[in-house]
Amino acid sequence: MKKTIKAAAALLLSGLLAFSFAGCQQQETGAGDSTQSSVAESGAASEETSQDASEAADTEESSIDRIKAAGKIIMSTNAEFEPFEYMDGTDIVGIDVDISKKIAEKLGVELQINNTSFDALTAELASGKCDFVAAGMSKDPTREESVDFSDPYFSATQSIIVLKDSDIKSSEDLAGKTIGVQLGTTGDQYCTENVEGADVQRMNKAVDAVSDLIAGRLDAVVVDNFPAKKLVANNSDKIMMLDEALTGEEYCIAVPKGDTELLDLINETLQEMEESGELDEIVGNYMSEE
Ligand code: ARG
């Protein structure tokens, strides 16, 4: 992930090298997800919004004043990560969506959700296309170079999914194997940096990696533990999740670098939700649906 995030950043700035690296990944994984906008609750998506956001980033105007004046706050995510964000028909739902609704509510504005590929999220935030990112995104030093993170709201780890009859029993058995990950995630980063001789296949969606695993094109999939549980629950006759925790990660909400005003409001919202037990309740709702 470090590499891909850096590649994205470098690509924006100048890097030819980064261009070829990102280009490779595009070929490996097929075309990137097309960005689609969707509006939670009511109201229409508007192209002007992204302009508004980037214009304001150039000025000294308070982000909260601007959001209130616009009457909406824009959250970007990648709705391929059940139970945190996923499609329910044409709606984007999940734990992060419920948290984001609380943030919008606190500001008294509407929530607009922009659904895009995961590896594009930090760049979207940096370019002012959205106000914040809620995407089960793990706090990470490389990402922190371009965004600011809220207090953590969830602890997670990377998990290994294999076919039920697989001879892969632990992370040690991953060496030299073909492993599917979601492009630009910490799972991508873990496999790229830690697994000897692995052929890391970077997909836009973890669910596609699981399909490839079931079809015999991959030996394993490495993905966050809660989404892994959901993916396994949907195919429990064929695949299983190993118990081993590969990493220790914390999910945080990302805001543009230096936007302490919005960051404070988000931290306040998270703290209130934690103290009232609402956060646990939301997590419980989405996790008990198995
Ligand atoms: N926690 C992992 C990361 O930060 C994966 C997040 C993927 N999120 C998503 N909405 N697809 O890299």
Side-chain angles (χ1 to χ4, degrees), residues 7 9-20:
L11 180 63
L12 282 173
L13 295 172
S14 67
L16 249 181
L17 246 179
F19 181 78
S20 56

Side-chain angles (χ1 to χ4, degrees), residues 234-284:
N234 294 337
N235 294 281
S236 55
D237 52 328
K238 302 187 187 81
I239 56 175
M240 57 182 270
M241 179 179 146
L242 303 183
D243 285 338
E244 188 178 348
L246 303 180
T247 58
E249 304 182 19
E250 285 182 320
Y251 294 171
C252 299
I253 292 174
V255 300
K257 223 165 179 38
D259 193 346
T260 46
E261 204 188 0
L262 183 58
L263 195 64
D264 288 349
L265 181 125
I266 289 174
N267 281 334
E268 233 173 77
T269 310
L270 288 171
Q271 200 182 335
E272 281 165 15
M273 291 179 79
E274 262 161 36
E275 281 168 7
S276 68
E278 196 176 350
L279 195 56
D280 283 345
E281 204 179 298
I282 290 170
V283 172

Side-chain angles (χ1 to χ4, degrees), residues 123-144:
E124 271 214 359
L125 192 57
S127 69
K129 276 197 176 157
C130 61
D131 298 304
F132 69 101
V133 167
M137 185 177 273
S138 306
K139 187 171 173 161
D140 165 277
T142 309
R143 291 173 181 159
E144 271 184 310

Side-chain angles (χ1 to χ4, degrees), residues 1 77-81 84-85 96 118 121 134-139 143 156 158 182 184-187 204 223-224 249 251:
M1 189 262 348
T77 194
N78 168 248
E80 292 294 339
F81 202 64
F84 289 89
E85 43 270 331
D96 285 327
F118 185 77
L121 287 171
M137 185 177 273
S138 306
K139 187 171 173 161
R143 291 173 181 159
Q158 294 302 306
Q182 188 183 21
T185 60
T186 41
N204 282 310
V223 68
D224 295 47
E249 304 182 19
Y251 294 171

Side-chain angles (χ1 to χ4, degrees), residues 29-45:
T29 57
D33 280 356
S34 61
T35 304
Q36 70 171 96
S37 275
S38 111
V39 179
E41 309 192 302
S42 62

Side-chain angles (χ1 to χ4, degrees), residues 14-86:
S14 67
L16 249 181
L17 246 179
F19 181 78
S20 56
F21 183 77
C24 274
Q25 287 186 331
Q26 282 291 1
Q27 274 169 16
E28 262 173 43
T29 57
D33 280 356
S34 61
T35 304
Q36 70 171 96
S37 275
S38 111
V39 179
E41 309 192 302
S42 62
S46 107
E47 291 199 352
E48 278 167 37
T49 325
S50 48
Q51 272 179 5
D52 291 350
S54 52
E55 272 164 23
D58 297 338
T59 70
E60 292 298 304
E61 191 191 358
S62 137
S63 59
I64 289 188
D65 287 351
R66 174 181 53 76
I67 290 162
K68 283 188 173 161
K72 68 179 148 195
I73 188 161
I74 308 170
M75 173 271 238
S76 282
T77 194
N78 168 248
E80 292 294 339
F81 202 64
E82 187 179 358
F84 289 89
E85 43 270 331
Y86 59 102

